Amino acid sequence: MNMQILFENSDLLIVNKPSGLRTHGDGKSDVPTVVDWIMTERPEIVGVGENMEMDGKVIERPGIVHRLDEQTSGCLVIAKTQDSFEYLKQQFKDRKVEKEYHAFVWGHFKESKGVVDEPIGRSTGDFRRWQAGRGVRGETREAVTKWEAVGQFEDEANERCSFMHLWPQTGRTHQLRVHMKYLQRPIVSDELYGGKPALGFGRVALHARTISFVGPTGERVEVSAPYPEDFAYALAKYLKA
């Protein structure tokens, strides 16, 4: 399994997770995960962090401080020691980790930037989906996303699309996908949330571009993940970037 290491010191490492790779297992399916890579390439990290239990099965998550959806690519932080795990976990909890995602979405925007401040809960129509606004069932949790439409264009079918920079201020499951759906601008190829395929993407067009935080020893860590081929292709073709 090929994994690009973007940053590493004695406390942590940051990898560029490819799309199609889960962060950790779910106890049901036998598919490759980042945890498999850790166990093979960095066995010294095994035992760091917290495992989870799902349907009576223990899911190992050595060094995993946060997660990315299976189809999302980009920056993923892995703790190398228990002390750094506890520190980083608290940084995420206290919202001191700055994250910037890039995405292609359907539609154009009247304003160039804005904020979505809309709680997220379970969808009433599909157990796999989360929801903001109408159609939420049960408990909701605060969710805030800053956004900017960096480029707007039309594809070959003359359908409007936008290239976005997104800054989640909270860390809810599927938050960016749900909030773009809430704005009626679903992410390209995010079929779970109404975003049909286009622009050469065969997966959700979402990339964790940068991550920034103060590390356990007080140094500032800021890392950017290079674009994967599908992002590079779409940027070059539609935005001449």
Side-chain angles (χ1 to χ4, degrees), residues 8 15 62 88 96 99 113 127 151-152 164 199 207 222:
E8 182 171 12
V15 299
L88 291 166
K96 293 182 178 179
K99 296 169 285 183
K113 60 183 64 175
F127 74 92
Q152 306 195 100
M164 308 291 294
L199 312 181
H207 179 64
E222 184 168 351

Side-chain angles (χ1 to χ4, degrees), residues 118-119 121-125 129-137 182:
E118 192 69 27
R122 288 287 188 179
S123 169
T124 55
R129 291 172 51 176
W130 295 81
Q131 191 86 13
R134 300 174 62 181
V136 177
R137 65 177 171 87
Y182 174 77

Side-chain angles (χ1 to χ4, degrees), residues 71-117:
Q71 293 189 43
T72 302
S73 54
C75 296
L76 183 72
V77 180
I78 300 169
K80 296 173 68 174
T81 69
Q82 191 63 33
D83 285 345
S84 62
F85 173 82
E86 298 294 345
Y87 172 86
L88 291 166
K89 180 181 175 183
Q90 193 64 44
Q91 290 291 98
F92 275 94
K93 183 178 180 180
D94 293 341
R95 304 179 185 177
K96 293 182 178 179
V97 178
E98 299 172 13
K99 296 169 285 183
E100 179 179 309
Y101 289 72
H102 292 182
F104 286 91
V105 305
W106 284 103
H108 287 178
F109 294 81
K110 293 182 179 179
E111 305 294 334
S112 63
K113 60 183 64 175
V115 178
V116 182
D117 186 350

Side-chain angles (χ1 to χ4, degrees), residues 22-110:
R22 294 183 181 179
T23 302
H24 57 74
D26 60 6
K28 300 176 183 178
S29 52
D30 185 19
V31 296
T33 66
V34 174
V35 166
D36 291 335
W37 178 84
I38 292 171
M39 290 183 166
T40 301
E41 301 296 330
R42 298 302 177 94
E44 68 275 11
I45 297 178
V46 174
V48 170
E50 298 173 344
N51 293 334
M52 65 180 290
E53 187 173 317
M54 185 179 294
D55 297 329
K57 296 182 179 180
V58 175
I59 309 299
E60 294 187 272
R61 301 189 302 173
I64 300 298
V65 184
H66 67 124
R67 60 180 292 276
L68 296 177
D69 291 342
E70 181 176 350
Q71 293 189 43
T72 302
S73 54
C75 296
L76 183 72
V77 180
I78 300 169
K80 296 173 68 174
T81 69
Q82 191 63 33
D83 285 345
S84 62
F85 173 82
E86 298 294 345
Y87 172 86
L88 291 166
K89 180 181 175 183
Q90 193 64 44
Q91 290 291 98
F92 275 94
K93 183 178 180 180
D94 293 341
R95 304 179 185 177
K96 293 182 178 179
V97 178
E98 299 172 13
K99 296 169 285 183
E100 179 179 309
Y101 289 72
H102 292 182
F104 286 91
V105 305
W106 284 103
H108 287 178
F109 294 81
K110 293 182 179 179

